[in-house]
Amino acid sequence: MAAHATLSHAAARTLYDHIGRWQDTQRFYEDRATADLIAHADLGTARSVFEFGGGTGRIAERLLRDHLPTTAHYQGIDVSSTMVSLARQRLSPWQGRATVEQSDGSPRIPLPDEQFDRFLSTYVLDLLSAEDIALVLREAHRLLSVGGLLCLVSATHGRTPLERLVMGLAARLHSLSPHLVGGCRAIDVASFLEPGRWQVVHRNVVSKWGITSEVLVARPV
């Protein structure tokens, strides 16, 4: 299999339907990057949040419980029915403010322009093809209102010897079969931002046990 092969939408749905209940075990390395994202996403002023690939709803729960104003609304989508079910259960205390829907895996999002002031996606773009990443970011640009923020985390390339070892091993596994690493691979998210359409507000690379993540917050222009 080619090194940059990615899972099809149907394959990603099947994979995460099977492993969805164990997805939160990855928080041991995800939480540090997610905390950095939250710290720079200005969530206290947000009115409406859209999450592309909401997973088990763990991040949405954290936002609704600890960071968003009580008047803010959350809308999430995920390709996996298992994930959608888990997220709906987790977010049931915010029934009037949070909705989660299952998507067909397409990067196109059938919602009106400028409907949200935060577009969030963590550890999802690194599953997608380059073409789909570009489409998701165009959709994010369309969906964000003036002054809104794009808030992303993804696996990225290592910098230190330990990070390069760990991420190199992950790349090797991905080249054998994307299923071995949950479909994820290291990418440079910032390189996908179209020039003249985004202003980077915050970019950071964080690591836990050699697993390296890129945190990016950008504003549409």
Side-chain angles (χ1 to χ4, degrees):
M1 183 173 290
H4 297 291
T6 56
L7 296 174
S8 68
H9 300 158
R13 177 186 300 111
T14 299
L15 175 62
Y16 280 92
D17 278 347
H18 282 105
I19 70 174
R21 293 188 180 278
W22 295 276
Q23 183 68 14
D24 288 348
T25 60
Q26 296 185 113
R27 65 181 302 168
F28 77 92
Y29 71 86
E30 292 180 353
D31 279 358
R32 180 174 292 179
T34 302
D36 186 65
L37 181 73
I38 290 172
H40 292 87
D42 194 18
L43 292 164
T45 65
R47 300 181 306 276
S48 52
V49 176
F50 180 84
E51 186 172 14
F52 183 82
T56 65
R58 183 169 62 86
I59 294 175
E61 178 187 37
R62 183 175 175 184
L63 299 187
L64 288 159
R65 185 188 64 222
D66 301 329
H67 299 284
L68 290 171
T70 56
T71 54
H73 286 78
Y74 166 92
Q75 185 167 347
I77 61 171
D78 201 279
V79 70
S80 162
S81 59
T82 297
M83 296 291 205
V84 169
S85 176
L86 291 169
R88 285 175 175 168
Q89 293 172 35
R90 184 172 238 148
L91 302 182
S92 59
W94 297 275
Q95 257 181 329
R97 297 172 50 207
T99 60
V100 182
E101 302 294 338
Q102 185 172 1
S103 77
D104 62 1
S106 168
R108 301 196 181 278
I109 303 165
L111 292 169
D113 295 358
E114 300 185 11
Q115 187 170 338
F116 301 95
D117 53 27
R118 300 293 182 277
F119 186 102
L120 173 70
S121 190
T122 65
Y123 300 102
V124 177
L125 297 190
D126 46 31
L127 278 75
L128 305 181
S129 68
E131 294 77 13
D132 278 358
I133 294 171
L135 283 170
V136 169
L137 294 178
R138 285 182 204 140
E139 287 290 83
H141 195 280
R142 180 182 66 79
L143 289 173
L144 281 169
S145 57
V146 175
L149 292 174
L150 174 72
C151 306
L152 305 174
V153 180
S154 77
T156 197
H157 305 283
R159 307 155 299 169
T160 68
L162 174 61
E163 291 169 1
R164 288 194 290 269
L165 175 66
V166 171
M167 300 309 290
L169 175 59
R172 176 59 180 158
L173 292 172
H174 188 280
S175 71
L176 294 172
S177 172
H179 289 80
L180 296 174
V181 285
C184 300
R185 72 197 188 286
I187 62 172
D188 178 4
V189 170
S191 70
F192 287 94
L193 298 182
E194 292 184 66
R197 291 174 64 84
W198 297 99
Q199 175 191 1
V200 175
V201 176
H202 172 73
R203 182 178 181 271
N204 194 19
V205 176
V206 300
S207 177
K208 181 70 176 288
W209 295 355
I211 303 174
T212 315
S213 302
E214 179 182 4
V215 181
L216 182 72
V217 179
R219 194 183 308 279
V221 295

